[in-house]
Structure formats: C-alpha cells, structure tokens
Amino acid sequence: MYEGALFTDIDNTWSLKNYNDGYGDEFKFNKFLSQVGVGSGFGLRVNVAYITLRLDLAYKMYDPNKPEGDRWRLKYFQPFKPTLNIAFGYPF
C-alpha cells in the first residue's frame, strides 16, 4: 500500500516562436541542452484500489533561467525548503 520514490526530473517546455518576452524559451537544437532544467527529490506513494496518491518533495538542481555561471543551484540548496507536489496517478 505504501511505497517510496527517489527521482530526477530532466525537462523543460519550449515555444516554436520567439515572442520576445524575455524567457528565451524558443526551441533551437544548438541550445537544447543548455535550456534543460534538472530537479530531484523523494516521495511517498499510497496505493488504494486503482488510485495512486503521490506526495513528492522536490529540489531545483539546475535552473536554465538563471544567469550563466549561476544555474547550478547546489550552492543554494536548502534541505528544509522543498517544493511539495501532490498528484493522483502516475505522470505517464
């Protein structure tokens, strides 16, 4: 009924057009890797019948929206300030 999880999430969202909104999120193949963010964490899974409740505590490890040289967030790691994510079911 109860399970634990350790995870790393590597992803981002991109647009197909440059909207000049300051986010720099237009997809370009030569900038793809530098635009990917990384998050890690741990969580609890509660399986009841056919429904899974997910409670995750996550930390930002690499933030592509920060200035160059300040994107790795490990030096700012605060173990008592995670992001709480609550969800039902699995993401895929």
Side-chain angles (χ1 to χ4, degrees), residues 6-76:
L6 291 173
F7 61 87
T8 297
D9 184 28
I10 302 170
D11 64 4
N12 205 340
T13 56
W14 290 270
S15 65
L16 296 176
K17 183 179 175 186
N18 185 358
Y19 291 100
N20 293 320
D21 55 7
Y23 290 109
D25 59 353
E26 180 184 15
F27 181 81
K28 292 192 182 229
F29 192 76
N30 62 340
K31 293 184 178 183
F32 172 75
L33 288 178
S34 67
Q35 294 175 326
V36 174
V38 179
S40 294
F42 57 92
L44 174 68
R45 306 293 185 259
V46 181
N47 299 306
V48 179
Y50 296 103
I51 298 173
T52 300
L53 170 65
R54 296 183 295 140
L55 301 170
D56 293 333
L57 298 176
Y59 299 93
K60 200 177 278 191
M61 298 294 163
Y62 181 83
D63 187 351
N65 293 322
K66 297 290 182 186
E68 219 29 78
D70 199 27
R71 293 180 176 177
W72 284 103
R73 309 309 292 164
L74 299 176
K75 61 184 169 186
Y76 305 107

